[in-house]
Amino acid sequence: MMMIMEKAVVKVKTSGAEALLEPPKMNSVTLEYYLRGLHYPAGKAEIIAHAESSGAPGNVMAFFVNRLPSRQFQSASDISFTVFVSSYMFGQD
């Protein structure tokens, strides 16, 4: 049995033009972008709600739901460190 994996692609329409974009790679800059304006300390549920209201794409939301531990985070860099550790331990999403 052969399995073919395809990259996820997002279609974006802007003023008459259409572009195909890959979802953003998972890294601290990407996560912090969708968490801008979040007040700390913040728990996992608050982080998920804020990211969702900021329009975070599916891969970012999946990271928060599946890999972010249920605890209080003190800053964006606290979350970024968790991203680094998760990527190191489990690989990129």
Side-chain angles (χ1 to χ4, degrees), residues 1-42:
M1 182 163 134
M2 184 176 189
M3 214 172 166
I4 298 173
M5 301 293 288
E6 292 185 26
K7 288 185 177 180
V9 175
V10 177
K11 280 190 178 183
V12 177
K13 272 190 159 181
T14 56
S15 54
E18 188 174 290
L20 297 177
L21 304 173
E22 291 183 24
K25 295 265 189 232
M26 190 60 58
N27 60 43
S28 60
V29 174
T30 301
L31 296 182
E32 288 179 23
Y33 175 80
Y34 293 106
L35 296 179
R36 65 193 183 281
L38 179 64
H39 298 285
Y40 296 95

Side-chain angles (χ1 to χ4, degrees), residues 18-86:
E18 188 174 290
L20 297 177
L21 304 173
E22 291 183 24
K25 295 265 189 232
M26 190 60 58
N27 60 43
S28 60
V29 174
T30 301
L31 296 182
E32 288 179 23
Y33 175 80
Y34 293 106
L35 296 179
R36 65 193 183 281
L38 179 64
H39 298 285
Y40 296 95
K44 180 176 179 173
E46 293 168 283
I47 291 167
I48 290 170
H50 188 86
E52 186 173 39
S53 70
S54 296
N59 67 325
V60 173
M61 293 305 299
F63 172 83
F64 287 135
V65 170
N66 298 318
R67 291 201 181 169
L68 200 63
S70 295
R71 68 175 183 87
Q72 290 288 307
F73 292 87
Q74 302 304 314
S75 65
S77 61
D78 190 9
I79 296 170
S80 295
F81 180 75
T82 301
V83 172
F84 168 77
V85 170
S86 178

